Amino acid sequence: MASHPPDDTAALQLRAVPLSPEAFAPFGDVIDSRGSCHAINQGKGWRYPDLARVDVASEDGRTAVSLVACVPEATPVPLRLMERHPLGSQIFMPMNGQRYLVVVAPAGEPPRPDALRAFVANGDQGINYHRGVWHHPMIALDAACQFFEVHRAGPGDNCDECALDTPITVCVPEDQPESRP
C-alpha cells in the first residue's frame, strides 16, 4: 500500500506482497498449475484448463504471440509510468522461472498513487491483465527474464500511458521467496 510522505520531495513507497489469485482477481488472472487438472496424452501429461480469458477480438483485433525480454532492476524499484490496453487483455508467462514484480491499478481513470498495488510473482506464475487495467511495464527482479506474451494486435490505439506525478518506489520484502530452481 502507498504511504504518504512527510513532504513533497520524498517518494511514496509501495510494499510488494506475494502474488495470489485472490489478491490479483480485481486486475486479472494468475496463471499457474495449482488448480485442478486432468490427464492427457495417454496419461503422460496433465492439462490445467481455462486459466485465463484471452480478450482480444474488439475492433477487429487478433491474437498475437510475442517474446518480451527484461533486465533485472535493483530494489527499491522506481516506477516510471503506468499503461493500459483498452482493446484487449495481455498475458505474460515467465520462461526461465525468475521472479518478477507486478504493479497494477484498477481500470478506469488514470490511477492515483494510493490505488497502486504491487505483487511478487514467484517465477512459476504468469499473469493476465484484464482489458483496461493499469499496469507498469514488466519488472524483472533477480536476473534477466524472458516472457511469453499473448496480446492483441490489429487496428486501433491499444496502449494508453500516464506519467506518475508523484515519485513512487516499490520495495520487495527480504522474506519473499526467490525463484524456484
Side-chain angles (χ1 to χ4, degrees):
M1 251 198 223
S3 60
H4 294 284
D7 63 66
D8 292 337
T9 61
L12 295 177
Q13 190 165 72
L14 189 61
R15 183 178 173 92
V17 298
L19 181 66
S20 71
E22 300 78 20
F24 195 68
F27 312 105
D29 308 302
V30 173
I31 303 168
D32 65 17
S33 59
R34 296 177 195 194
S36 61
C37 65
H38 59 270
I40 60 170
N41 301 333
Q42 299 77 45
K44 301 295 183 192
W46 297 265
R47 174 171 286 135
Y48 297 84
D50 205 17
L51 297 176
R53 181 172 176 248
V54 177
D55 176 10
V56 296
S58 69
E59 297 186 23
D60 295 322
R62 63 177 175 77
T63 303
V65 173
S66 301
L67 292 178
V68 174
C70 299
V71 297
E73 298 191 38
T75 58
V77 177
L79 300 182
R80 298 179 292 278
L81 59 88
M82 296 297 281
E83 63 181 39
R84 68 177 175 182
H85 305 286
L87 302 179
S89 61
Q90 189 176 34
I91 291 175
F92 288 96
M93 191 72 199
M95 296 178 60
N96 309 106
Q98 279 85 10
R99 67 186 190 139
Y100 59 99
L101 191 59
V102 178
V103 179
V104 292
E109 295 299 315
R112 295 184 338 266
D114 63 349
L116 274 61
R117 299 293 177 262
F119 301 94
V120 176
N122 66 21
D124 291 336
Q125 299 169 304
I127 53 160
N128 177 41
Y129 295 123
H130 287 172
R131 178 196 306 217
V133 165
W134 290 98
H135 60 279
H136 191 276
M138 300 308 292
I139 303 169
L141 288 173
D142 306 313
C145 189
Q146 280 195 325
F147 295 92
F148 179 86
E149 179 191 19
V150 178
H151 57 105
R152 181 192 181 278
D157 186 7
N158 191 33
C159 187
D160 297 331
E161 292 183 349
C162 107
L164 296 170
D165 295 332
T166 303
I168 302 171
T169 60
V170 180
C171 68
V172 178
E174 294 294 322
D175 60 349
Q176 297 237 343
E178 295 211 7
S179 302
R180 296 179 186 174

